[in-house]
């Protein structure tokens, strides 16, 4: 704990619900000096391993026991990190929201639009200061630099975007059957990586998705065991159309299309992710977590504009065991999010509200909405809606619109003609 007056931000204690991805989160938290006060999981072996390795104070397989322990030891600086599978997130978050804690909900944050809205309303009803879903790619230093270059128009106007993600499903999802292979329990490429890509594109372009067209396929020829069948998508393709709404023009035309390809069936065990933003003057390429610029022949002045800030092939953190097949940029992004966590908490109100306190539903008056990272529950609702429309688009084989389409005069005339024809020929 930092002494008073030293100018350092005190790091909060953390309670973790769930293992799996939560195991990596626990190691990242400890390596950066956080204290894990308690942890819950159904996995007894993993729980015992983490308790011994990370010196966790209180571990239990009974969720209610940790809730009770946490309630008796709660403080302004405590953080609850929900790292369960997506189909369990909303159920556990509902119980924790009533304790007025600072909550971090692991991505994708919810399993449906309804759950995302319910989580947002719950955060508005109870005095929860930080209730956010950390889409961690936006915390990478090179991503922040990339966004600044786009917003400042330092490299021209955006013309198109392409995203390619290749990985080996057994390295990312494991060789044994789990929820990650089950479509009904939010497994698959879209839920695991698509939500992050939608968020990072929204962040880079500073706009929200207008329409989508997508397809999902399960290309696994064999099941992992004799009981369960693999139903989750292992290949997901979609395009996102963005319309320029902000006053500051960053698109060459009124709209930009981003093409996304996610393939989890690669035989290679190396995780690769490439985000390419083409502008009128150069190509901004984010290879995993490293940004580079390829200037066009008629714009050589951009050759030395950006130096590489990070190296994805280097160890992410000393003491953290990583594998080339793991999503390295996501782990590194989580490291940067965790590093900012104490400053987020430090900016929050100085007193712990009583359960009887009235909380305004106005987001401008209520301190807990928007007081933490900008990736909040409002972004979560939008991302859940886009993912839902991608699934519907894959089933119906048609483009889906996130908002109601604004019809032009010609559209209205065509619709009127069709209605007249249909009334004459029922």
């Amino acid at each position: 704990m930092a002494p008073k007056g030293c100018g350092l931000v005190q790091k909060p204690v953390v309670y973790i619900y769930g293992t799996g991805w939560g195991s990596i989160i626990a190691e990242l938290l400890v390596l950066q000096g956080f204290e894990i006060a308690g942890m819950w999981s159904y996995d007894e072996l993993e729980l015992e391993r983490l308790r011994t390795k990370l010196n966790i104070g209180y571990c239990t397989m009974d969720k209610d026991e940790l809730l009770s322990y946490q309630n008796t030891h709660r403080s302004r600086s405590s953080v609850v990190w929900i790292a369960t599978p997506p189909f369990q997130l909303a159920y556990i978050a509902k119980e924790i929201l009533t304790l007025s804690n600072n909550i971090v909900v692991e991505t994708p944050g919810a399993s449906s639009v309804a759950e995302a809205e319910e989580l947002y309303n719950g955060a508005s009803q109870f005095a929860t200061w930080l209730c956010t879903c950390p889409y961690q790619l936006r915390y990478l230093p090179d991503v922040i630099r990339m966004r600044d270059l786009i917003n400042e128009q330092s490299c021209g106007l955006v013309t198109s975007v392409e995203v390619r993600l290749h990985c080996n499903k057994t390295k990312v999802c494991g060789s044994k059957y789990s929820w990650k292979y089950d479509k009904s329990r939010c497994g698959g490429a879209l839920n695991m990586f698509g939500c992050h890509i939608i968020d990072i594109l929204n962040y880079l372009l500073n706009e929200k998705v207008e329409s989508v067209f997508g397809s999902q396929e399960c290309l696994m020829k064999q099941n992992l065991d004799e009981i369960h069948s693999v139903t989750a998508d292992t290949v997901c393709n979609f395009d996102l159309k963005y319309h320029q709404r902000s006053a500051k023009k960053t698109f060459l035309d009124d709209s930009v299309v981003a093409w996304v390809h996610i393939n989890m069936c690669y035989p290679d065990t190396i995780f690769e992710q490439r985000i390419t933003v083409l502008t009128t003057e150069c190509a901004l390429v984010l290879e995993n977590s490293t940004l580079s610029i390829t200037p066009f022949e008629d714009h050589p002045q951009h050759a030395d504009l950006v130096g590489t800030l990070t190296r994805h092939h280097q160890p992410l953190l000393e003491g953290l065991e990583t594998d080339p097949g793991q999503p390295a940029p996501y782990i590194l992004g989580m490291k940067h999010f965790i590093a900012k966590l104490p400053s987020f908490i430090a900016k929050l109100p100085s007193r712990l509200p009583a359960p009887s306190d009235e909380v305004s539903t106005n987001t401008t008056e209520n301190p807990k909405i928007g007081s933490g990272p900008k990736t909040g529950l409002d972004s979560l609702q939008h991302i859940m809606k886009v993912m839902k429309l991608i699934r519907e688009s894959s089933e119906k084989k048609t483009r889906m619109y996130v908002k109601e389409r604004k019809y032009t005069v010609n559209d209205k005339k065509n619709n009127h003609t069709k209605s007249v024809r249909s009334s004459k020929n029922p």
Side-chain angles (χ1 to χ4, degrees):
M1 182 181 298
K4 292 183 179 181
C6 67
L8 298 176
V9 179
Q10 179 181 345
K11 293 185 178 180
V13 295
V14 184
Y15 297 87
I16 300 178
Y17 287 76
T19 52
W21 179 242
S23 300
I24 298 178
I25 293 171
E27 295 189 42
L28 287 172
L29 286 166
V30 171
L31 286 171
Q32 295 198 65
F34 288 83
E35 175 191 353
I36 301 179
M39 191 170 190
W40 163 82
S41 174
Y42 287 127
D43 191 336
E44 184 177 6
L45 293 178
E46 181 66 8
L47 195 64
E48 179 61 24
R49 183 187 75 83
L50 291 173
R51 185 192 67 81
T52 304
K53 181 178 180 179
L54 305 179
N55 193 26
I56 300 175
Y58 185 83
C59 292
T60 178
M61 295 180 64
D62 189 330
K63 174 171 58 64
D64 293 332
E65 287 184 2
L66 183 56
L67 283 169
S68 177
Y69 178 84
Q70 170 193 329
N71 194 32
T72 56
H73 294 80
R74 77 186 180 116
S75 66
R76 173 184 170 276
S77 61
S78 63
V79 174
V80 177
W81 199 304
I82 306 177
T84 62
F87 63 91
Q88 296 177 334
L89 287 172
Y91 168 71
I92 295 178
K94 290 177 190 176
E95 299 184 71
I96 298 175
L97 278 172
T98 59
L99 300 179
S100 301
N101 283 287
N102 310 307
I103 300 177
V104 177
V105 183
E106 188 49 58
T107 53
S111 60
S112 64
V113 177
E115 282 191 2
E117 292 177 351
E118 192 172 357
L119 192 61
Y120 186 91
N121 294 333
S124 301
Q125 180 181 359
F126 299 103
T128 303
W129 294 313
L130 173 65
C131 190
T132 186
C133 189
Y135 290 99
Q136 59 264 36
L137 289 180
R138 62 167 59 197
Y139 297 99
L140 290 170
D142 278 19
V143 168
I144 297 172
R145 179 62 173 150
M146 192 177 187
R147 184 176 190 260
D148 291 341
L149 291 172
I150 294 172
N151 289 339
E152 295 167 2
Q153 302 178 15
S154 302
C155 297
L157 301 174
V158 178
T159 59
S160 65
V161 183
E162 182 184 24
V163 180
R164 289 185 175 273
L165 189 154
H166 302 152
C167 65
N168 184 290
K169 56 185 176 297
T170 56
K171 284 289 183 179
V172 175
C173 303
S175 57
K176 296 182 179 180
Y177 183 84
S178 67
W179 64 270
K180 297 176 183 179
Y181 291 100
D182 191 340
K183 179 181 178 181
S184 64
R185 300 202 299 175
C186 306
L190 180 61
N191 283 293
M192 294 182 65
F193 297 111
C195 59
H196 291 275
I197 292 174
I198 295 168
D199 175 74
I200 195 63
L201 293 177
N202 291 354
Y203 178 74
L204 290 174
L205 301 177
N206 198 27
E207 296 288 354
K208 289 189 175 181
V209 180
E210 183 185 60
S211 64
V212 304
F213 185 86
S215 66
Q216 296 174 278
E217 298 290 342
C218 178
L219 301 182
M220 289 195 67
K221 303 297 183 182
Q222 297 179 343
N223 294 327
L224 297 175
D225 55 42
E226 298 179 355
I227 301 175
H228 303 96
S229 59
V230 177
T231 58
D233 57 312
T234 55
V235 176
C236 182
N237 300 297
F238 55 90
D239 70 66
L240 308 175
K241 188 174 183 179
Y242 292 86
H243 184 75
Q244 184 82 68
R245 295 187 180 89
S246 58
K248 187 175 182 180
K249 183 177 176 64
T250 56
F251 298 173
L252 177 62
D253 298 319
D254 291 335
S255 61
V256 162
V257 176
W259 289 274
V260 180
H261 173 69
I262 306 173
N263 191 337
M264 299 176 65
C265 295
Y266 260 57
D268 194 357
T269 58
I270 303 297
F271 182 94
E272 295 180 342
Q273 178 176 280
R274 175 190 286 260
I275 301 175
T276 304
V277 178
L278 294 178
T279 71
T280 53
E281 300 178 7
C282 66
L284 298 169
V285 181
L286 185 74
E287 186 79 30
N288 284 347
S289 55
T290 304
L291 176 63
S292 63
I293 285 184
T294 304
F296 298 148
E297 292 182 358
D298 51 343
H299 294 279
Q301 70 273 20
H302 298 310
D304 300 324
L305 182 61
V306 176
T308 53
L309 303 179
T310 56
R311 294 287 187 275
H312 64 269
H313 58 269
Q314 292 181 354
L316 300 178
L317 278 176
E318 186 179 353
L320 180 65
E321 297 178 2
T322 59
D323 185 279
Q326 290 181 337
Y330 293 82
I331 300 175
L332 185 57
M334 186 59 71
K335 166 200 166 184
H336 289 287
F337 171 78
I338 291 173
K340 292 179 181 292
L341 198 56
S343 62
F344 293 150
I345 302 297
K347 296 176 182 178
L348 299 176
S350 58
R351 71 179 187 89
L352 187 68
S356 60
D357 284 354
E358 294 184 1
V359 180
S360 170
T361 57
N362 188 335
T363 57
T364 59
E365 298 176 2
N366 198 346
K368 82 300 169 216
I369 295 294
S371 57
K374 292 183 179 180
T375 316
L377 297 177
D378 52 345
S379 298
L380 172 61
Q381 293 179 84
H382 173 75
I383 292 171
M384 287 294 108
K385 189 169 185 178
V386 173
M387 291 171 63
K388 176 186 176 183
L389 293 178
I390 291 174
R391 298 186 192 100
E392 292 180 1
S393 175
S394 178
E395 295 173 359
K396 299 178 180 179
K397 309 299 181 184
T398 185
R399 177 166 290 275
M400 307 297 293
Y401 290 83
V402 178
K403 292 185 178 180
E404 289 188 6
R405 187 179 177 186
K406 297 180 180 180
Y407 291 98
T408 63
V409 175
N410 292 332
D411 289 332
K412 291 181 179 179
K413 288 181 179 179
N414 293 335
N415 288 339
H416 175 70
T417 303
K418 290 178 181 179
S419 62
V420 171
R421 288 175 179 174
S422 62
S423 61
K424 291 182 178 179
N425 304 291

